[in-house]
Amino acid sequence: MTRRRSSFPSSLLPDAVDFRHNLGMVPGPAWQSPDVLARPGAFPGPDTAAGGRTAYSTSKLAAIHLVHEYARRLPAGIDAVAFDPGFVPGTGLARNAGPVSRFVIRRVLPVMTLTPFATRPGAAGRHLAAVNRSVSGSAPERDTRSGGY
């Protein structure tokens, strides 16, 4: 039987809310019930960078919950896995940030792709493709079992 796989972008952000893991740029998630999170105004200061970043980290936590639920509900042969591309500068994520943040994000952070602390967009895409091609549980460096992260 051919296995099918769906992968969902996620992140370690829900677990890494300290300065060492995210340079203080992203606050921790603010979990609420999904029906509340799906509505506009679910976070304080929705028009602020802090509100947007809280929504972002909460969406990553929601993706992990979604993967676990899909893994529980999907029939055998269909896998659902969470994928964390790591820190990927150059994706336009902060395009609406303030001018100082935009400068740092556009001009300084891309240099980090020369270090092990960041990933280029193309490399992140290749990693995602590798996760989708792997057989459930076959990639020892990743938890590719259904419901894995």
Side-chain angles (χ1 to χ4, degrees):
M1 172 169 82
T2 302
R3 295 190 75 83
R4 286 165 273 167
R5 166 153 300 163
S6 289
S7 56
F8 298 84
S10 189
S11 174
L12 289 174
L13 280 173
D15 293 328
V17 295
D18 58 9
F19 185 82
R20 184 173 66 101
H21 285 95
N22 71 41
L23 306 176
M25 295 177 63
V26 183
W31 188 256
Q32 302 177 57
S33 68
D35 61 317
V36 172
L37 292 173
R39 298 180 192 285
F43 304 98
D47 295 332
T48 66
R53 290 175 183 159
T54 300
Y56 175 78
S57 66
T58 304
S59 76
K60 298 306 171 184
L61 178 59
I64 293 169
H65 284 294
L66 178 68
V67 165
H68 286 293
E69 190 61 22
Y70 275 156
R72 188 177 73 79
R73 292 182 184 203
L74 290 172
I78 302 177
D79 295 336
V81 295
F83 171 72
D84 180 0
F87 174 55
V88 185
T91 61
L93 179 64
R95 64 190 160 276
N96 295 324
V100 173
S101 293
R102 278 196 320 268
F103 174 81
V104 169
I105 289 164
R106 289 181 182 161
R107 305 289 180 216
V108 177
L109 295 183
V111 175
M112 289 186 68
T113 60
L114 302 174
T115 73
F117 302 108
T119 306
R120 294 178 187 265
R126 285 189 298 280
H127 297 312
L128 175 59
V131 167
N132 283 326
R133 283 192 310 264
S134 66
V135 176
S136 185
S138 69
E141 71 280 4
R142 297 180 185 95
D143 184 359
T144 56
R145 295 168 297 171
S146 190
Y149 176 79

